[in-house]
Amino acid sequence: MNVGTWEHNLTNAEHNHNSVKHMYDFNLWETSVLALPTQNKIISLLYVVLQGIFGDFNGQTKQQTKLGGIRATLFVYAMEGLENMAFLSNAVSLVTYFYGYMNFSLTKSATTLTNFMGTSFLVALFGGFISDTYLSRFKTCVLFGCIELLGYAVLTVQAYSHQLRPPRCQGLAISQTTQCEVADSGQTAILFTGLYLVAFGTSGVKAALPSLGADQFDEKDPKESAQLSSFFNWFLLSLTFGSIIGVTLIVWISTNKGWDWAFGSCTLAVLFSIVCVSMGKSLYRNNVPKGSPLLRILQVFTVAIRNRKLPQPEMTDELHEVRDKEAGVYNEILPRTDQFRFLDRAAIGQTSGDASTSISPGPWRLCTVTQVEETKIIIRMLPVILSTVFMNTCLAQLQTFTVQQSTTMDTHILSFKMPGPSIPVIPLVFMFVFIPIYDRVFVPIARKITGIPTGIRYLQRIGVGLVLSAISMAVAGIVETRRKSVAREHNMVDSLQPLPMSVFWLGYQYAIFGLADMFTFVGLLQFFYAESSAGMKSLGTAISWCSLAFGFYLSSVVVEVVNKVSGGWLANNNLNRDKLNYFYWLLAALSVLNFGIYLACASWYRYKKVEVINQEENNGSEAAKGKQLEMLTV
């Protein structure tokens, strides 16, 4: 058979496939294909298989109702639980690996971990950009999951091979650890290669995975809108469950079996997470990348600056908008708002001196109102995300100092001794218990009162978390005051023996902060997903992770500044002589101040309104029929 015949048959196969792909019933589809000539039948089936492998997401638009839903999100939950099990287990215990296996100093170990954590959250912006611009969210999750898998494999090999890391220091006093052989440049390079492959990989997963799950629900459908609210709660539950396994089982493995076994377990967990999310491929509603959101924002600023001398139009009809796009069934149109009106100049059409001749309306000369409003949304979001950074600074301090406090207390549970890195399991257990209560009890009651699918609005939920964060810091100060008084009462201020005080006293501050995290973390994810335009959902989700990144980076600065200003509240190596309780109370006071700033930002914020054009093509005709216009307030 010559090439021309194959091309002709492939064209016929594509035409035959398109003629039957709108049929949802598999039996009808099968009958239609079997009715084709044998040669065209084989090529048509091959076309379908290749389409399934490489993904024709444009062809899903008429089958959206058959895709997505709760069953599709089960695979998302599985990936999040397994991936976060690996990530968080390292987040709480990598300091011991840097210090005990790579012979880093305590300061370098802490700095390395802080930089690793901050990078993991900050680079999520890049993952969100890739997901919105070039790849679907599913492909982004798989690609970055494979990068993370490679990173854990590198760390596993290094931990297993004695030639790839320095000899361990054993039996030396703390004052003699400077005599240990430090890691050479090659060993350090391998370590940082593995670490930042993990950071880069997990950042892409964090950016795309929540949006992939949320895409399985239609915000315009009342029933699915309520399910979307529950999705974010159950997403946090899966994250929490994976974290519990990570800070208990994986930490136990690293402590008792070795870091090669721990990293190996993380490698397998990430591998299974990729397999799990891939198993749901045929069920997903996949987004179609709509081009670079950052480029669209840059175009708005460029055109607005170019048109800065033009008069501000008063009527919305004077601004440019395109309502007849070919981007699928639903075209999101954002109506004009009255904030940041100087950006509206980007949507002013210009004419040349000859009124009959128009300047070519390229993207760098004329933007749509929707494009302008996309930019306004991002600007309005920035004060909200910045006002939540300090809460994550408190989280970083709580994680650091609570583990140090636990080393001075009785960590026995019956006959079992809890490892220090496993202390974070306390808030995780509280979150694991309260998330279902919140979703199944509080939200339905609040929904009946407010009529809002989420029970309360996103910004209200974030605000509740910020209040609980301030309370947690105040409680932490009270508990630390109690711990120091026990040390004084038993003359154990300078003793290395554990105090006769249970480590579960730390559970009060941790439990309250766990509830704060439950409100704020999910609130931020919901807020940025719902408020972002259709073309920047992943980027919006990634911005929510930046709050954690900046919180971790800011935490070390806060400690340094407080030490200098206070004259050394945290300067001693002995917590019994430090003034950690004063530090906690300072954080509580600053949290209250931060909440006041947040209230101002939240009151100023305008929730977006969306016009959705529902287009149905009439057998390939150029004109769309049955055009419906509905206004949605998110």
Side-chain angles (χ1 to χ4, degrees):
M1 184 181 298
N2 58 41
V3 175
T5 304
W6 272 101
E7 291 178 348
H8 175 73
N9 289 333
L10 183 59
T11 303
N12 288 337
E14 181 175 357
H15 171 75
N16 291 325
H17 171 70
N18 291 332
S19 68
V20 300
K21 71 178 181 179
H22 68 279
M23 300 180 183
Y24 299 135
D25 191 305
F26 177 77
N27 292 327
L28 291 177
W29 182 87
E30 183 181 28
T31 303
S32 300
V33 172
L34 293 177
L36 299 174
T38 302
Q39 191 177 42
N40 286 359
K41 183 192 308 179
I42 295 173
I43 297 176
S44 182
L45 291 173
L46 179 61
Y47 181 87
V48 174
V49 171
L50 292 175
Q51 188 183 49
I53 294 174
F54 295 104
D56 181 8
F57 300 141
N58 294 326
Q60 289 186 354
T61 55
K62 291 187 179 291
Q63 303 184 34
Q64 292 294 326
T65 56
K66 289 290 184 179
L67 300 174
I70 295 176
R71 62 174 183 168
T73 59
L74 296 177
F75 301 97
V76 174
Y77 297 147
M79 182 178 198
E80 177 60 22
L82 289 167
E83 192 275 336
N84 205 63
M85 178 181 76
F87 178 74
L88 195 66
S89 65
N90 289 292
V92 299
S93 59
L94 266 178
V95 167
T96 61
Y97 178 72
F98 298 149
Y99 181 72
Y101 278 71
M102 301 304 295
N103 296 341
F104 286 1
S105 66
L106 281 174
T107 302
K108 185 176 181 179
S109 298
T111 303
T112 302
L113 178 59
T114 301
N115 292 340
F116 166 73
M117 294 292 292
T119 303
S120 299
F121 295 122
L122 186 61
V123 183
L125 288 172
F126 178 76
F129 170 78
I130 293 295
S131 178
D132 285 332
T133 308
Y134 301 108
L135 302 176
S136 68
R137 307 195 218 287
F138 166 72
K139 290 181 178 178
T140 302
C141 290
V142 173
L143 173 62
F144 281 84
C146 291
I147 295 174
E148 184 179 5
L149 178 69
L150 179 61
Y152 280 120
V154 170
L155 293 176
T156 302
V157 171
Q158 183 177 42
Y160 178 79
S161 175
H162 298 288
Q163 289 77 22
L164 300 180
R165 53 183 172 82
R168 289 189 62 187
C169 284
Q170 294 179 333
L172 294 179
I174 296 178
S175 59
Q176 297 177 318
T177 53
T178 54
Q179 303 174 10
C180 298
E181 180 182 340
V182 298
D184 59 35
S185 58
Q187 294 167 340
T188 303
I190 294 174
L191 172 67
F192 281 102
T193 298
L195 277 180
Y196 284 96
L197 281 174
V198 170
F200 188 67
T202 192
S203 67
V205 174
K206 292 182 187 305
L209 191 61
S211 297
L212 174 63
D215 285 346
Q216 309 315 309
F217 304 99
D218 186 357
E219 295 177 276
K220 298 172 287 296
D221 182 278
K223 180 181 177 181
E224 293 197 15
S225 179
Q227 292 175 335
L228 175 60
S229 172
S230 291
F231 161 75
F232 285 104
N233 292 322
W234 292 102
F235 181 84
L236 178 61
L237 186 70
S238 64
L239 181 153
T240 302
F241 181 75
S243 301
I244 291 174
I245 302 300
V247 300
T248 53
L249 179 61
I250 304 299
V251 168
W252 182 88
I253 291 175
S254 65
T255 303
N256 295 276
K257 297 295 183 181
W259 276 96
D260 51 345
W261 282 87
F263 286 137
S265 301
C266 294
T267 305
L268 290 177
V270 173
L271 174 62
F272 286 131
S273 75
I274 297 171
V275 172
C276 286
V277 79
S278 299
M279 288 172 62
K281 180 179 183 295
S282 61
L283 301 176
Y284 297 141
R285 295 173 182 172
N286 286 285
N287 69 301
V288 179
K290 295 177 172 59
S292 170
L294 299 180
L295 186 62
R296 294 197 298 271
I297 293 172
L298 182 60
Q299 288 169 348
V300 169
F301 279 104
T302 302
V303 179
I305 293 173
R306 179 182 290 122
N307 296 346
R308 64 188 179 277
K309 296 182 179 180
L310 296 180
Q312 184 73 44
E314 296 298 330
M315 303 297 293
T316 301
D317 293 340
E318 299 177 43
L319 300 176
H320 176 63
E321 184 58 276
V322 178
R323 296 178 178 272
D324 191 23
K325 299 177 183 178
E326 301 177 355
V329 176
Y330 289 104
N331 297 327
E332 182 180 77
I333 304 296
L334 301 176
R336 182 188 184 187
T337 59
D338 60 359
Q339 291 179 321
F340 308 111
R341 297 189 65 181
F342 67 92
L343 293 176
D344 291 343
R345 290 186 173 89
I348 300 176
Q350 299 184 54
T351 57
S352 63
D354 183 358
S356 62
T357 305
S358 298
I359 297 177
S360 177
W364 293 97
R365 288 189 174 273
L366 181 63
C367 302
T368 64
V369 174
T370 294
Q371 191 174 345
V372 172
E373 291 303 318
E374 273 187 331
T375 306
K376 290 182 181 181
I377 287 173
I378 292 297
I379 297 175
R380 283 197 295 263
M381 284 178 169
L382 291 179
V384 174
I385 193 68
L386 291 176
S387 60
T388 62
V389 168
F390 192 76
M391 173 185 167
N392 291 298
T393 299
C394 294
L395 172 63
Q397 302 299 342
L398 199 64
Q399 288 180 339
T400 302
F401 288 112
T402 300
V403 172
Q404 293 184 14
Q405 287 174 289
S406 69
T407 61
T408 69
M409 304 171 75
D410 183 6
T411 59
H412 285 87
I413 307 175
L414 300 177
S415 60
F416 176 75
K417 184 177 181 180
M418 179 185 294
S422 293
I423 296 298
V425 75
I426 298 174
L428 293 172
V429 169
F430 274 92
M431 291 173 64
F432 190 76
V433 171
F434 280 105
I435 290 172
I437 296 174
Y438 177 86
D439 186 72
R440 295 305 179 186
V441 178
F442 174 78
V443 171
I445 295 175
R447 186 182 295 148
K448 290 180 180 179
I449 298 173
T450 63
I452 301 173
T454 55
I456 56 177
R457 291 195 180 276
Y458 317 122
L459 294 178
Q460 292 172 335
R461 180 168 183 168
I462 296 171
V464 172
L466 295 179
V467 171
L468 290 174
S469 171
I471 295 174
S472 174
M473 291 297 99
V475 171
I478 295 172
V479 171
E480 173 62 9
T481 301
R482 167 65 179 166
R483 191 196 65 81
K484 291 179 65 176
S485 67
V486 171
R488 287 193 300 269
E489 290 170 3
H490 293 81
N491 295 321
M492 299 178 68
V493 173
D494 297 312
S495 174
L496 297 178
Q497 298 299 316
L499 302 175
M501 181 179 178
S502 174
V503 73
F504 282 100
W505 276 85
L506 303 176
Y508 292 110
Q509 63 210 49
Y510 249 155
I512 298 173
F513 204 95
L515 293 178
D517 206 28
M518 182 187 75
F519 279 93
T520 301
F521 175 76
V522 174
L524 281 173
L525 285 180
Q526 287 181 317
F527 172 71
F528 279 94
Y529 180 84
E531 289 295 291
S532 297
S533 65
M536 53 176 65
K537 294 288 188 184
S538 295
L539 184 64
T541 304
I543 291 175
S544 66
W545 291 105
C546 289
S547 176
L548 279 165
F550 294 138
F552 275 97
Y553 288 135
L554 184 60
S555 64
S556 57
V557 176
V558 169
V559 172
E560 291 294 331
V561 171
V562 168
N563 265 333
K564 288 183 179 180
V565 173
S566 65
W569 280 359
L570 306 172
N572 293 313
N573 290 325
N574 186 349
L575 279 181
N576 296 330
R577 294 191 177 277
D578 277 334
K579 294 179 174 59
L580 180 59
N581 50 340
Y582 292 176
F583 181 62
Y584 278 141
W585 285 330
L586 175 63
L587 292 180
L590 293 176
S591 295
V592 172
L593 176 62
N594 179 72
F595 177 68
I597 297 173
Y598 172 80
L599 281 181
C601 296
S603 300
W604 171 79
Y605 186 83
R606 303 282 183 86
Y607 284 96
K608 77 171 183 179
K609 293 182 178 180
V610 182
E611 295 177 12
V612 179
I613 297 178
N614 188 3
Q615 297 179 350
E616 294 181 5
E617 295 183 3
N618 185 12
N619 295 327
S621 65
E622 295 181 1
K625 73 174 185 177
K627 187 175 290 186
Q628 296 177 336
L629 186 64
E630 60 177 318
M631 183 72 74
L632 300 175
T633 301
V634 181

